[in-house]
Short mmCIF file of all heavy atoms in Angstrom, two decimals:
data_model
loop_
_atom_site.label_atom_id
_atom_site.label_comp_id
_atom_site.label_asym_id
_atom_site.label_seq_id
_atom_site.Cartn_x
_atom_site.Cartn_y
_atom_site.Cartn_z
N GLN A 1 -33.64 -4.68 -2.17
CA GLN A 1 -32.33 -4.17 -1.92
C GLN A 1 -31.63 -4.90 -0.78
O GLN A 1 -30.43 -5.22 -0.84
CB GLN A 1 -32.37 -2.64 -1.62
CG GLN A 1 -31.05 -2.01 -1.36
CD GLN A 1 -30.13 -2.03 -2.56
OE1 GLN A 1 -30.60 -1.83 -3.67
NE2 GLN A 1 -28.86 -2.31 -2.34
N LEU A 2 -32.41 -5.22 0.27
CA LEU A 2 -31.87 -5.97 1.39
C LEU A 2 -31.51 -7.39 0.92
O LEU A 2 -30.44 -7.94 1.34
CB LEU A 2 -32.91 -6.05 2.52
CG LEU A 2 -33.18 -4.76 3.29
CD1 LEU A 2 -34.23 -5.05 4.36
CD2 LEU A 2 -31.93 -4.22 3.90
N LYS A 3 -32.33 -8.04 0.07
CA LYS A 3 -32.03 -9.35 -0.43
C LYS A 3 -30.72 -9.34 -1.24
O LYS A 3 -29.88 -10.24 -1.14
CB LYS A 3 -33.19 -9.85 -1.29
CG LYS A 3 -34.41 -10.17 -0.51
CD LYS A 3 -35.61 -10.54 -1.39
CE LYS A 3 -35.30 -11.80 -2.25
NZ LYS A 3 -36.46 -12.17 -3.06
N TYR A 4 -30.56 -8.26 -2.07
CA TYR A 4 -29.29 -8.14 -2.84
C TYR A 4 -28.10 -8.05 -1.94
O TYR A 4 -27.06 -8.73 -2.16
CB TYR A 4 -29.40 -6.97 -3.79
CG TYR A 4 -28.11 -6.68 -4.51
CD1 TYR A 4 -27.77 -7.40 -5.65
CD2 TYR A 4 -27.26 -5.68 -4.04
CE1 TYR A 4 -26.57 -7.15 -6.33
CE2 TYR A 4 -26.07 -5.41 -4.70
CZ TYR A 4 -25.71 -6.13 -5.83
OH TYR A 4 -24.56 -5.90 -6.51
N ASP A 5 -28.18 -7.28 -0.84
CA ASP A 5 -27.07 -7.11 0.07
C ASP A 5 -26.69 -8.42 0.77
O ASP A 5 -25.55 -8.75 0.87
CB ASP A 5 -27.41 -5.97 1.09
CG ASP A 5 -27.51 -4.61 0.43
OD1 ASP A 5 -26.99 -4.47 -0.64
OD2 ASP A 5 -28.18 -3.74 1.02
N VAL A 6 -27.75 -9.11 1.26
CA VAL A 6 -27.43 -10.31 2.04
C VAL A 6 -26.94 -11.45 1.09
O VAL A 6 -26.08 -12.28 1.46
CB VAL A 6 -28.75 -10.76 2.78
CG1 VAL A 6 -29.75 -11.31 1.87
CG2 VAL A 6 -28.31 -11.83 3.82
N GLN A 7 -27.44 -11.48 -0.16
CA GLN A 7 -26.90 -12.47 -1.10
C GLN A 7 -25.49 -12.17 -1.43
O GLN A 7 -24.63 -13.08 -1.62
CB GLN A 7 -27.76 -12.45 -2.39
CG GLN A 7 -29.13 -13.11 -2.19
CD GLN A 7 -30.03 -12.96 -3.39
OE1 GLN A 7 -29.63 -12.34 -4.39
NE2 GLN A 7 -31.20 -13.49 -3.32
N HIS A 8 -25.10 -10.89 -1.53
CA HIS A 8 -23.71 -10.49 -1.78
C HIS A 8 -22.85 -11.00 -0.57
O HIS A 8 -21.71 -11.47 -0.81
CB HIS A 8 -23.60 -9.00 -1.97
CG HIS A 8 -22.22 -8.48 -2.14
ND1 HIS A 8 -21.53 -8.69 -3.32
CD2 HIS A 8 -21.43 -7.81 -1.32
CE1 HIS A 8 -20.33 -8.19 -3.19
NE2 HIS A 8 -20.19 -7.67 -1.97
N LEU A 9 -23.31 -10.84 0.64
CA LEU A 9 -22.58 -11.23 1.83
C LEU A 9 -22.47 -12.78 1.86
O LEU A 9 -21.38 -13.32 2.17
CB LEU A 9 -23.25 -10.74 3.08
CG LEU A 9 -23.26 -9.27 3.33
CD1 LEU A 9 -24.06 -8.88 4.56
CD2 LEU A 9 -21.81 -8.76 3.54
N GLN A 10 -23.52 -13.49 1.47
CA GLN A 10 -23.46 -14.94 1.42
C GLN A 10 -22.45 -15.40 0.38
O GLN A 10 -21.67 -16.35 0.62
CB GLN A 10 -24.82 -15.51 1.10
CG GLN A 10 -24.92 -17.05 1.07
CD GLN A 10 -24.77 -17.62 2.46
OE1 GLN A 10 -25.70 -17.48 3.24
NE2 GLN A 10 -23.71 -18.32 2.75
N THR A 11 -22.39 -14.80 -0.76
CA THR A 11 -21.39 -15.16 -1.80
C THR A 11 -20.00 -14.84 -1.33
O THR A 11 -19.06 -15.61 -1.57
CB THR A 11 -21.72 -14.39 -3.08
OG1 THR A 11 -23.07 -14.62 -3.52
CG2 THR A 11 -20.73 -14.77 -4.21
N ALA A 12 -19.77 -13.72 -0.65
CA ALA A 12 -18.50 -13.39 -0.14
C ALA A 12 -18.02 -14.39 0.90
O ALA A 12 -16.86 -14.80 0.90
CB ALA A 12 -18.51 -11.99 0.49
N LEU A 13 -18.92 -14.91 1.78
CA LEU A 13 -18.59 -15.92 2.77
C LEU A 13 -18.16 -17.19 2.11
O LEU A 13 -17.14 -17.82 2.47
CB LEU A 13 -19.73 -16.11 3.73
CG LEU A 13 -19.52 -17.21 4.78
CD1 LEU A 13 -18.35 -16.85 5.71
CD2 LEU A 13 -20.81 -17.35 5.61
N ARG A 14 -18.89 -17.59 1.10
CA ARG A 14 -18.60 -18.85 0.37
C ARG A 14 -17.23 -18.74 -0.34
O ARG A 14 -16.46 -19.67 -0.36
CB ARG A 14 -19.70 -19.18 -0.63
CG ARG A 14 -21.03 -19.62 0.04
CD ARG A 14 -22.07 -19.86 -0.97
NE ARG A 14 -23.37 -20.24 -0.31
CZ ARG A 14 -24.53 -20.40 -0.94
NH1 ARG A 14 -24.57 -20.12 -2.24
NH2 ARG A 14 -25.58 -20.77 -0.29
N ASN A 15 -17.01 -17.59 -0.96
CA ASN A 15 -15.65 -17.46 -1.63
C ASN A 15 -14.55 -17.50 -0.65
O ASN A 15 -13.53 -18.09 -0.92
CB ASN A 15 -15.67 -16.13 -2.36
CG ASN A 15 -16.61 -16.11 -3.57
OD1 ASN A 15 -16.97 -17.17 -4.07
ND2 ASN A 15 -17.05 -14.92 -3.98
N PHE A 16 -14.72 -16.87 0.53
CA PHE A 16 -13.67 -16.99 1.56
C PHE A 16 -13.48 -18.41 2.05
O PHE A 16 -12.32 -18.81 2.25
CB PHE A 16 -14.05 -16.09 2.79
CG PHE A 16 -13.10 -16.18 3.87
CD1 PHE A 16 -11.92 -15.43 3.85
CD2 PHE A 16 -13.30 -16.99 4.98
CE1 PHE A 16 -11.00 -15.50 4.92
CE2 PHE A 16 -12.46 -17.09 6.04
CZ PHE A 16 -11.25 -16.34 6.01
N GLN A 17 -14.56 -19.14 2.16
CA GLN A 17 -14.44 -20.53 2.59
C GLN A 17 -13.70 -21.37 1.56
O GLN A 17 -12.86 -22.22 1.91
CB GLN A 17 -15.81 -21.13 2.89
CG GLN A 17 -16.47 -20.58 4.16
CD GLN A 17 -17.89 -21.06 4.30
OE1 GLN A 17 -18.53 -21.52 3.37
NE2 GLN A 17 -18.41 -20.91 5.52
N HIS A 18 -13.98 -21.13 0.24
CA HIS A 18 -13.30 -21.86 -0.80
C HIS A 18 -11.78 -21.49 -0.77
O HIS A 18 -10.96 -22.39 -0.93
CB HIS A 18 -13.87 -21.50 -2.14
CG HIS A 18 -15.23 -22.17 -2.39
ND1 HIS A 18 -15.39 -23.49 -2.30
CD2 HIS A 18 -16.45 -21.62 -2.73
CE1 HIS A 18 -16.66 -23.79 -2.57
NE2 HIS A 18 -17.29 -22.69 -2.85
N ARG A 19 -11.46 -20.24 -0.63
CA ARG A 19 -10.09 -19.84 -0.60
C ARG A 19 -9.35 -20.44 0.64
O ARG A 19 -8.21 -20.92 0.52
CB ARG A 19 -9.95 -18.32 -0.55
CG ARG A 19 -10.38 -17.64 -1.84
CD ARG A 19 -9.91 -16.19 -1.88
NE ARG A 19 -10.30 -15.43 -0.72
CZ ARG A 19 -11.41 -14.73 -0.64
NH1 ARG A 19 -12.23 -14.68 -1.67
NH2 ARG A 19 -11.68 -14.07 0.47
N ARG A 20 -10.04 -20.42 1.81
CA ARG A 20 -9.44 -21.02 2.99
C ARG A 20 -9.22 -22.50 2.83
O ARG A 20 -8.16 -23.03 3.20
CB ARG A 20 -10.36 -20.76 4.21
CG ARG A 20 -9.80 -21.34 5.53
CD ARG A 20 -10.78 -21.05 6.64
NE ARG A 20 -12.09 -21.60 6.38
CZ ARG A 20 -12.40 -22.89 6.52
NH1 ARG A 20 -11.50 -23.80 6.84
NH2 ARG A 20 -13.66 -23.28 6.31
N TYR A 21 -10.19 -23.17 2.21
CA TYR A 21 -10.05 -24.61 2.00
C TYR A 21 -8.90 -24.94 1.08
O TYR A 21 -8.10 -25.85 1.35
CB TYR A 21 -11.35 -25.21 1.46
CG TYR A 21 -11.27 -26.66 1.16
CD1 TYR A 21 -11.32 -27.65 2.15
CD2 TYR A 21 -11.15 -27.11 -0.19
CE1 TYR A 21 -11.22 -28.99 1.80
CE2 TYR A 21 -11.07 -28.44 -0.52
CZ TYR A 21 -11.12 -29.39 0.52
OH TYR A 21 -10.99 -30.73 0.20
N ALA A 22 -8.79 -24.16 -0.01
CA ALA A 22 -7.64 -24.39 -0.97
C ALA A 22 -6.35 -24.08 -0.30
O ALA A 22 -5.35 -24.82 -0.54
CB ALA A 22 -7.86 -23.51 -2.19
N ARG A 23 -6.26 -23.04 0.53
CA ARG A 23 -5.01 -22.67 1.21
C ARG A 23 -4.65 -23.73 2.22
O ARG A 23 -3.42 -24.14 2.33
CB ARG A 23 -5.19 -21.34 1.93
CG ARG A 23 -3.90 -20.83 2.54
CD ARG A 23 -4.05 -19.34 2.96
NE ARG A 23 -5.17 -19.18 3.86
CZ ARG A 23 -6.28 -18.51 3.56
NH1 ARG A 23 -6.43 -18.04 2.35
NH2 ARG A 23 -7.26 -18.36 4.48
N GLU A 24 -5.62 -24.28 2.91
CA GLU A 24 -5.35 -25.34 3.90
C GLU A 24 -4.86 -26.58 3.19
O GLU A 24 -3.98 -27.29 3.72
CB GLU A 24 -6.57 -25.63 4.77
CG GLU A 24 -6.92 -24.52 5.73
CD GLU A 24 -8.25 -24.89 6.47
OE1 GLU A 24 -8.87 -25.85 6.12
OE2 GLU A 24 -8.60 -24.08 7.36
N GLN A 25 -5.47 -26.91 2.04
CA GLN A 25 -5.04 -28.12 1.30
C GLN A 25 -3.63 -27.93 0.81
O GLN A 25 -2.83 -28.88 0.83
CB GLN A 25 -5.98 -28.32 0.10
CG GLN A 25 -7.35 -28.82 0.53
CD GLN A 25 -7.30 -30.18 1.22
OE1 GLN A 25 -7.59 -30.32 2.38
NE2 GLN A 25 -6.95 -31.23 0.48
N GLN A 26 -3.27 -26.74 0.33
CA GLN A 26 -1.92 -26.49 -0.13
C GLN A 26 -0.89 -26.64 0.97
O GLN A 26 0.17 -27.22 0.84
CB GLN A 26 -1.83 -25.11 -0.80
CG GLN A 26 -2.52 -24.99 -2.11
CD GLN A 26 -2.56 -23.61 -2.65
OE1 GLN A 26 -1.98 -22.67 -2.02
NE2 GLN A 26 -3.20 -23.38 -3.81
N GLU A 27 -1.26 -26.05 2.16
CA GLU A 27 -0.35 -26.19 3.32
C GLU A 27 -0.21 -27.61 3.77
O GLU A 27 0.93 -28.06 4.11
CB GLU A 27 -0.87 -25.31 4.47
CG GLU A 27 -0.81 -23.83 4.16
CD GLU A 27 -1.45 -23.03 5.36
OE1 GLU A 27 -1.97 -23.65 6.28
OE2 GLU A 27 -1.38 -21.72 5.25
N LYS A 28 -1.27 -28.34 3.71
CA LYS A 28 -1.23 -29.82 4.12
C LYS A 28 -0.35 -30.54 3.16
O LYS A 28 0.43 -31.41 3.55
CB LYS A 28 -2.67 -30.34 4.17
CG LYS A 28 -2.74 -31.81 4.53
CD LYS A 28 -4.17 -32.30 4.56
CE LYS A 28 -4.22 -33.77 4.92
NZ LYS A 28 -5.62 -34.30 4.91
N GLN A 29 -0.50 -30.35 1.82
CA GLN A 29 0.30 -31.03 0.86
C GLN A 29 1.77 -30.64 0.95
O GLN A 29 2.66 -31.47 0.85
CB GLN A 29 -0.22 -30.75 -0.55
CG GLN A 29 -1.61 -31.29 -0.82
CD GLN A 29 -2.21 -30.83 -2.14
OE1 GLN A 29 -1.54 -30.03 -2.83
NE2 GLN A 29 -3.38 -31.27 -2.37
N ARG A 30 2.01 -29.34 1.27
CA ARG A 30 3.43 -28.96 1.41
C ARG A 30 4.07 -29.57 2.66
O ARG A 30 5.20 -29.97 2.60
CB ARG A 30 3.47 -27.40 1.55
CG ARG A 30 4.90 -26.87 1.57
CD ARG A 30 4.93 -25.37 1.46
NE ARG A 30 4.18 -24.66 2.44
CZ ARG A 30 2.99 -24.04 2.22
NH1 ARG A 30 2.49 -24.03 1.00
NH2 ARG A 30 2.38 -23.44 3.20
N GLU A 31 3.28 -29.62 3.72
CA GLU A 31 3.85 -30.28 4.91
C GLU A 31 4.11 -31.73 4.71
O GLU A 31 5.08 -32.34 5.19
CB GLU A 31 2.84 -30.10 6.10
CG GLU A 31 2.77 -28.63 6.60
CD GLU A 31 1.73 -28.49 7.70
OE1 GLU A 31 1.05 -29.49 7.99
OE2 GLU A 31 1.63 -27.37 8.19
N GLU A 32 3.13 -32.42 3.98
CA GLU A 32 3.35 -33.82 3.70
C GLU A 32 4.58 -34.05 2.80
O GLU A 32 5.34 -35.04 2.93
CB GLU A 32 2.10 -34.41 3.02
CG GLU A 32 0.90 -34.53 3.89
CD GLU A 32 -0.33 -35.02 3.19
OE1 GLU A 32 -0.22 -35.19 1.95
OE2 GLU A 32 -1.37 -35.26 3.86
N LEU A 33 4.76 -33.13 1.84
CA LEU A 33 5.92 -33.22 0.95
C LEU A 33 7.21 -33.01 1.68
O LEU A 33 8.22 -33.72 1.46
CB LEU A 33 5.77 -32.20 -0.17
CG LEU A 33 6.89 -32.21 -1.22
CD1 LEU A 33 6.97 -33.57 -1.97
CD2 LEU A 33 6.68 -31.09 -2.27
N LEU A 34 7.24 -32.04 2.59
CA LEU A 34 8.46 -31.78 3.40
C LEU A 34 8.74 -32.90 4.32
O LEU A 34 9.90 -33.18 4.70
CB LEU A 34 8.33 -30.44 4.11
CG LEU A 34 8.24 -29.17 3.23
CD1 LEU A 34 8.08 -27.92 4.08
CD2 LEU A 34 9.55 -29.05 2.39
N ALA A 35 7.74 -33.55 4.91
CA ALA A 35 7.93 -34.56 5.86
C ALA A 35 8.22 -35.90 5.22
O ALA A 35 8.56 -36.94 5.93
CB ALA A 35 6.69 -34.76 6.76
N ARG A 36 8.10 -35.99 3.95
CA ARG A 36 8.28 -37.26 3.27
C ARG A 36 9.72 -37.47 2.93
O ARG A 36 10.43 -36.61 2.55
CB ARG A 36 7.39 -37.33 2.02
CG ARG A 36 7.47 -38.62 1.24
CD ARG A 36 6.46 -38.59 0.09
NE ARG A 36 6.46 -39.82 -0.64
CZ ARG A 36 5.71 -40.09 -1.69
NH1 ARG A 36 4.84 -39.17 -2.08
NH2 ARG A 36 5.74 -41.26 -2.32
#
């Protein structure tokens, strides 16, 4: 049960990192587009 809980937390952290990376990439591309 503890292993299941910690694996769920690890998956949630990775999903957040993926979303943050995609959001940062979108903001970077938008800034590049506006500055171009």
Side-chain angles (χ1 to χ4, degrees):
Q1 182 63 40
L2 291 180
K3 290 174 63 177
Y4 174 80
D5 294 338
V6 71
Q7 288 173 358
H8 178 74
L9 292 174
Q10 183 70 70
T11 303
L13 177 60
R14 290 176 180 173
N15 291 337
F16 176 81
Q17 290 174 340
H18 286 305
R19 292 196 305 269
R20 179 181 58 78
Y21 176 76
R23 186 168 58 251
E24 290 177 353
Q25 289 296 111
Q26 291 175 0
E27 292 177 356
K28 181 180 179 181
Q29 293 170 3
R30 184 169 58 252
E31 291 175 357
E32 292 177 353
L33 181 62
L34 293 176
R36 183 174 180 177

